[in-house]
Amino acid sequence: MVCTMPILRALLRAACTLRRRSQRPAGLPADDEVLLDAPDERLSPALVAAALGEYGPAAKLLATTRDGAEWENRDRYLGRLVTFARSRDGWLTDWLAAAPHDPDALLVKAELAVRRAWESPVRAEQLREVGPLISAAAESDPRDPVPWRLALDHARGTHATHTVFEALWEQAVRRSSHHYGCHVAALRYLSAAWYGSHRECFDFAERAAEDALPGSLVRALPLRAAFALLMEGPRARTTSVQEERIDAAADLAIELSASFTPGDPWPAEVRNLLAFVLVARGRWEEALEQFRRIGPLAASFPWSSVSEDPLGRFLEARDDTRLRVACAAPIPGRADRGRPGGHYA
């Protein structure tokens, strides 16, 4: 597939030149306008300051999310700050030196330690060593569910039993019953790749989505279950029931996406995941609509799961989708002679 894809795309381009000139889909930004993991207006100053070795804006940002109980934003900003700290952590070192008991600094420290432990060839051993850091972050602010999301990830990597995991899950949902990050962590634990099965994964995700509030990203949780199944490729041998659940998950995520304005950074990752699943299912028109709604906001996930160049893979998938939709559309002024307008495989 990797070798034939460039040839296929060239053939599609040649076949669809006329259609593209007359019916080029509107609403897609140019390739050079698309940004990968673009920070929003709150996160951007914190990242710029961290690049200069200053921790103040990051500290203020996380403190604001904690004081306002903005747990979803807190988890999202934490992830981006830790991603930056993995290669440049001088600002974090200075922050911890100046405020060693700061709940926000302790949370960044714990998340960074967990990520580095996951990369170790002796992952379980390294994760056990960072357990006290997660406990310290959780104890520094008992209201915060984000350390418990870390604890759930930690439990998965240390081969914790279902009993231990369920106890951690209870602590997490007690603090925020619909926290997206905690739900994603639980879903990973229940996945077939870890300690569950595709059926358990879908059952959990569908129940959570049903209970979630309108507009909650938890309503996209079944899409995560669908992605986990699709990532197994030919090994998955999907049944008709599983395919129905994948499509139902996509339908639910389409409804969620429609509740946000196009180009909104909040659902950008979910929309990227939705586009990925729709492309995998050959639902080209719907995939194209999601690429329009994504606008310039490409996300590393899920494209990094299938390529070392996530932005390039996003653009390639978007281009392929646009071409397939153009090829399926009738040429203006040309009579339909009954030729099927099916999809190219």
Side-chain angles (χ1 to χ4, degrees):
M1 178 61 72
V2 174
C3 294
T4 59
M5 183 59 72
I7 300 174
L8 173 60
R9 292 171 63 207
L11 291 172
L12 287 170
R13 282 196 183 92
C16 300
T17 299
L18 177 58
R19 293 183 179 90
R20 284 166 39 186
R21 287 175 179 171
S22 58
Q23 292 186 311
R24 184 178 181 88
L28 293 178
D31 287 2
D32 59 4
E33 295 176 353
V34 178
L35 302 174
L36 185 68
D37 300 327
D40 64 19
E41 68 279 359
R42 298 175 70 186
L43 177 61
S44 183
L47 291 175
V48 170
L52 298 174
E54 302 169 4
Y55 64 84
K60 182 178 180 181
L61 175 62
L62 290 181
T64 299
T65 61
R66 180 165 48 86
D67 292 342
E70 300 177 45
W71 306 129
E72 300 288 6
N73 280 328
R74 180 173 178 79
D75 204 1
R76 177 175 298 193
Y77 293 147
L78 170 68
R80 296 297 305 279
L81 288 167
V82 168
T83 296
F84 184 83
R86 288 172 72 179
S87 57
R88 300 178 65 178
D89 62 357
W91 59 277
L92 176 58
T93 301
D94 291 345
W95 186 6
L96 288 164
H101 304 295
D102 186 306
D104 308 309
L106 290 174
L107 184 60
V108 177
K109 179 181 179 180
E111 169 87 348
L112 180 59
V114 168
R115 289 207 197 178
R116 286 175 171 167
W118 270 95
E119 298 171 353
S120 171
V122 287
R123 175 193 297 161
E125 180 181 336
Q126 290 292 314
L127 282 170
R128 290 188 185 97
E129 292 181 4
V130 304
L133 298 180
I134 300 174
S135 298
E139 292 167 2
S140 66
D141 190 335
R143 303 171 306 146
D144 189 356
V146 180
W148 295 96
R149 190 266 300 160
L150 272 179
L152 292 170
D153 287 335
H154 179 266
R156 176 166 53 94
T158 54
H159 312 296
T161 65
H162 277 66
T163 300
V164 170
F165 193 87
E166 288 169 5
L168 295 172
W169 171 250
E170 181 181 349
Q171 292 294 327
V173 297
R174 182 182 300 175
R175 287 160 175 79
S176 180
S177 58
H178 300 291
H179 186 265
Y180 180 62
C182 289
H183 278 78
V184 170
L187 192 72
R188 286 172 174 159
Y189 183 91
L190 293 172
S191 70
W194 288 92
Y195 309 111
S197 66
H198 291 305
R199 181 173 181 176
E200 287 179 281
C201 205
F202 269 109
D203 286 348
F204 171 77
E206 289 166 356
R207 284 197 301 269
E210 185 177 348
D211 293 339
L213 299 173
S216 169
L217 296 186
V218 174
R219 292 181 65 79
L221 206 62
L223 195 69
R224 285 266 188 171
F227 173 76
L229 178 57
L230 290 169
M231 284 301 292
E232 288 201 1
R235 295 179 302 163
R237 297 181 181 177
T238 55
T239 65
S240 58
V241 173
Q242 287 175 324
E243 290 180 354
E244 288 176 3
R245 295 180 95 166
I246 292 172
D247 284 329
D251 292 340
L252 186 60
I254 287 172
E255 291 181 14
L256 177 64
S257 175
S259 68
F260 296 96
T261 59
D264 187 338
W266 178 248
E269 184 177 275
V270 165
R271 281 174 169 159
N272 275 257
L273 179 59
L274 176 55
F276 182 101
V277 171
L278 290 171
V279 166
R281 295 295 293 157
R283 296 169 59 171
W284 307 111
E285 291 276 3
E286 293 162 303
L288 184 60
E289 175 58 24
Q290 292 310 312
F291 281 119
R292 290 192 183 106
R293 288 183 169 273
I294 290 167
L297 302 178
S300 291
F301 179 80
W303 312 106
S304 60
S305 301
V306 294
S307 173
E308 294 182 357
D309 177 15
L311 179 57
R313 187 65 190 92
F314 169 89
L315 295 173
E316 182 181 67
R318 190 182 70 160
D319 195 38
D320 288 343
T321 300
R322 178 173 58 83
L323 289 170
R324 290 174 187 271
V325 171
C327 284
I331 300 177
R334 181 171 178 178
D336 184 359
R337 298 180 181 178
R339 181 179 179 180
H343 305 308
Y344 291 84

